[in-house]
Amino acid sequence: MAVGIFDSGLGGLTVWDAVHKRLPDVPFVYLGDNAHAPYGVRDADDIYELTTAGVARLFEAGCDLVILACNTASAAALRRMQEAWVPAEKRVLGVFVPLIEALTERQWGDNSPPREVAVKNVALFATPATVASRAFQRELAFRAIGVDVEAQACGGVVDAIEEGDMILAEALVRSHVDALRRKMPHPEAAVLGCTHYPLVEEVFRDALGPEVAVYSQPDLVAASLADYLGRHPDKIGPGREAMFLTTGEPKRVSSRATQFLRREIAFRPA
Ligand code: DGL
């Protein structure tokens, strides 16, 4: 019955938290590749190799469906994995599409041609690798026309969060919001395109001000996963045990995770 959740590190826990609340009976197996975080400064081949290794481990743990709770992996590796690597009986889904469907006011899986949407100026905050991939703009162009996207590569934020240095993370978020505003002074919407950023969502909201609608992934991904599993109940795999796995140092990762989610989380070696 297990579903896998993969991230480079701790950020995917924001997605785990939302999906676990939404689907409390599903055992989720979380894998954080903390030994290799951050992914956002790596090249696409490197991200592909690391992501396939992590997802293979989740298949081994009894998951037939894995959510890449990592925009960087979704942007840099997912398409290549789906085309040539994922076995026919397994599924790997990313976190971009639910977000873009919300932004473009679409129902899940609505594949009708792109159309004009209400929002015209969108600020995208993401890792350098996600911004360089232009995957967000590509997925958006399949669904909407006439939307101006200004992307801000938020260097350093993921490192600071992984290190637990929230003062540095906050200062970096504020400076990235300032940099974005110099390029796009009045965004109507801001997309937090990295699953680590919900951990500093209040800082983004405060720096952006109340007139900017902030789109954050965890609840959108949870709603979309619930819908997907309703339509594909066979994709809940044979694994029965919920667990947290890390390629990093379990004690250190558990203590950060417990601090972020404000509940006891115990990781074990992947
Ligand atoms: N949380 C990830 C994302 O959504 C990864 C960040 C990183 O490892 O740089 O992009």
Side-chain angles (χ1 to χ4, degrees):
M1 289 246 314
V3 172
I5 312 257
F6 174 80
D7 183 42
S8 61
L10 295 165
L13 288 172
T14 61
V15 172
W16 175 86
D17 194 38
V19 295
H20 172 69
K21 279 186 187 133
R22 179 90 188 213
L23 299 161
D25 297 330
V26 175
F28 289 101
V29 181
Y30 184 92
L31 172 57
D33 189 12
N34 300 77
H36 302 107
Y39 280 13
V41 290
R42 293 176 181 272
D43 68 28
D45 283 343
D46 208 6
I47 296 169
Y48 176 82
E49 295 303 331
L50 291 169
T51 305
T52 48
V55 172
R57 176 70 186 90
L58 287 166
F59 288 160
E60 213 179 276
C63 305
D64 285 346
L65 168 65
V66 173
I67 308 298
L68 291 189
C70 175
N71 291 268
T72 308
S74 304
L78 181 57
R79 181 177 286 221
R80 189 169 155 199
M81 288 168 70
Q82 286 171 333
E83 280 168 5
W85 184 83
V86 180
E89 70 286 3
K90 310 276 190 199
R91 285 285 177 284
V92 180
L93 302 176
V95 282
F96 265 28
V97 171
L99 179 79
I100 291 175
E101 286 175 338
L103 191 67
T104 55
E105 308 147 34
R106 285 185 178 238
Q107 294 300 317
W108 294 305
D110 169 357
N111 290 324
S112 58
R115 54 178 181 259
E116 294 244 7
V117 292
V119 65
K120 298 287 178 228
N121 296 303
V122 176
L124 167 68
F125 295 95
T127 66
T130 299
V131 169
S133 74
R134 296 188 61 80
F136 179 84
Q137 289 89 331
R138 191 175 61 231
E139 291 292 338
L140 185 65
F142 290 138
R143 297 170 177 81
I145 44 181
V147 183
D148 188 13
V149 177
E150 194 60 68
Q152 177 64 33
C154 298
V157 176
V158 168
D159 310 59
I161 293 173
E162 288 284 318
E163 287 305 316
D165 189 343
M166 303 313 277
I167 294 175
L168 177 59
E170 170 162 355
L172 288 168
V173 166
R174 292 190 186 280
S175 89
H176 288 305
V177 169
D178 284 349
L180 184 282
R181 278 208 190 276
R182 288 196 285 278
K183 300 179 281 186
M184 180 182 269
H186 302 294
E188 299 161 70
V191 169
L192 304 189
C194 170
T195 54
H196 282 71
Y197 300 170
L199 294 166
V200 279
E201 184 167 333
E202 285 319 309
V203 185
F204 273 105
R205 286 185 185 277
D206 183 57
L208 285 158
E211 68 287 356
V212 182
V214 174
Y215 287 77
S216 179
Q217 283 169 323
D219 289 337
L220 296 171
V221 172
S224 161
L225 177 62
D227 176 74
Y228 183 88
L229 289 177
R231 288 182 289 117
H232 303 275
D234 58 305
K235 281 290 168 278
I236 302 186
R240 304 218 160 261
E241 195 190 352
M243 52 188 152
F244 294 91
L245 303 172
T246 178
T247 58
E249 213 277 281
K251 217 168 149 207
R252 188 165 167 273
V253 174
S254 303
S255 116
R256 296 252 192 282
T258 300
Q259 172 197 341
F260 287 141
L261 293 189
R262 298 194 183 93
R263 55 187 288 176
E264 189 70 35
I265 305 278
F267 275 83
R268 47 175 119 154

